[in-house]
Amino acid sequence: MDEPGFRTIFEPFRIHSVEPLRLTTRAERREHLRTAAYNLFQVRAEHVLVDLLTDSGTGAMSRDQWAAIQHGDESYAGSPSYFVFADAVRELFPFEHVIPVHQGRAAEKILFSVIGGPGRVVPNNTHFDTTRANVEATGAEALDLVIPEGLDPTSDHPFKGNMDLARLEEVLTTRGDDVPCVFVTITNNSGGGQPVSLANLRGVREVCTRFGKPLYLDACRFAENAWFIREREEGQGDRDVADIVREIAALADGMTMSAKKDPMGNIGGWLALDDDDLATACRNTLILTEGFPTYGGLAGRDLEALAQGLKEVVQHDYLRYRIRSTAYLGEALRDRGIPVLSPIGGHAVYIDARRLAPHLDPLEYPGQSVAVALYELGGIRSCEIGTVMFGRRPDGTEVPAAMDLVRLAIPRRTYTQSHVDYVIEVCEALAERVDSLPGYRIVDEPRALRHFTASFEPIT
Ligand code: F0G
């Protein structure tokens, strides 16, 4: 069914096992907020009605993934489950070495501890927070080189995740000796789940080849990125998504992966690369921190589930539903006058809280205020991506982040259109009373990554 011919977004699955959602009252949620010091990471998940905190590890596995789990072989070394997993990875990303890890940041930690270090600089379109933190933890510098449109919340550029090739070339010309590799994140999560075009990836490859630098992908949402290429890039509309993914992989020398996103896992990741010496060094580090190279911090059953997930995520019916259903939410909010980052990304809708609540100063955390109000009003858990997350500088000063966003991330195959319609209704009700939302102040915060554990109170 390539073109269903009807407008309804067809969810290409039906429900086989249900998880109850317990309804809560507004009074109860007010109490939960007080207990959590207005930090949504501190709210118990059973007190959430629709959990849009993240799309990472929160998706529903399929019948066939649960069946694959029964094939898990838990041998310490050389498990057949490893080979099933490595073959499934290579079917899409034909790299020589496939090294499993427990999640994406473990792959980052291992790779950058080998190739990073003081004086080094790693260019990326936009580093995700853990990627940046793992680069910086080695003393290296993490440089974001996304195109200018990628920083403009109103630009409708179809590939806002693209790397600025001129700036990349400039960095390689002036600081080439310090660059161990170039990274591209597909899709660009920190920039709003925006895709990178095939043409841009080919351009990055050409620059890397000219300067003799390896190209790595942070490929968590590779299938969503490939679907956007098929939909938006000239000459790509008739291609099989798996084929586009293989072409992307062929442009790169290696990848890090969080298998908690497109590979449909609840846990997992990998590091894959062609360079034999680098792979040996990474495996040696892996043994110290993750485990033996044929399981890397995962159970054999996890490896089997991921192998099956990789087959499912490149199916066109799934990707059409996935991208359309995210756009459905974003478009509905936009139609109701709620400012959202455009174009709508693959895995999430980002509300522009600074524009929605202009009465709040960025240092009163408009994103936090909107996120707390969504929970209080309708039990919806979202994630502030703004001044709370990025405002504290390493020197202790506080400045407004570039944007104050609230991310509504959509877990894969988990919520129905009715749940999404409910989210739209709650957002609309919130927009009607947005003038009355209070700002927040932080009363206690840790030294780093404060958004996870800080305590807040409303400014009355
Ligand atoms: N790279 C990107 C682009 C990511 O979005 C994430 C995680 C990681 C790396 C790290 O992977 O969590 O498996 O260690 N993003 C999640 C999110 C946490 O909510 O966007 P991980």
Side-chain angles (χ1 to χ4, degrees), residues 59-69 84-85 88-89 91-93 220 222-223 241-242 257-267 270 301-316 318-319 412-413:
M61 289 211 296
S62 66
R63 171 194 66 188
D64 294 340
Q65 283 182 287
W66 284 108
I69 275 183
V84 170
F85 163 76
V89 171
E91 179 67 25
L92 293 170
F93 303 97
C220 309
F222 69 93
V241 159
M257 176 63 114
S258 168
K260 300 170 75 172
K261 283 87 173 175
D262 274 351
M264 306 280 198
N266 297 127
I267 194 71
W270 66 85
R301 66 178 80 101
D302 299 324
L303 296 169
E304 296 272 358
L306 296 178
Q308 176 60 28
L310 281 172
K311 294 187 177 76
E312 295 173 10
V313 75
V314 291
Q315 290 172 8
H316 290 194
Y318 162 73
L319 283 167
R412 293 168 182 74
R413 307 186 293 203

Side-chain angles (χ1 to χ4, degrees), residues 54 103-105 108 128 130 189 218 220-221 258 261 407:
T54 178
Q103 65 181 81
R105 66 197 73 181
E108 296 162 2
F128 179 66
T130 60
N189 182 13
D218 175 349
C220 309
R221 300 177 181 88
S258 168
K261 283 87 173 175
R407 184 179 76 168

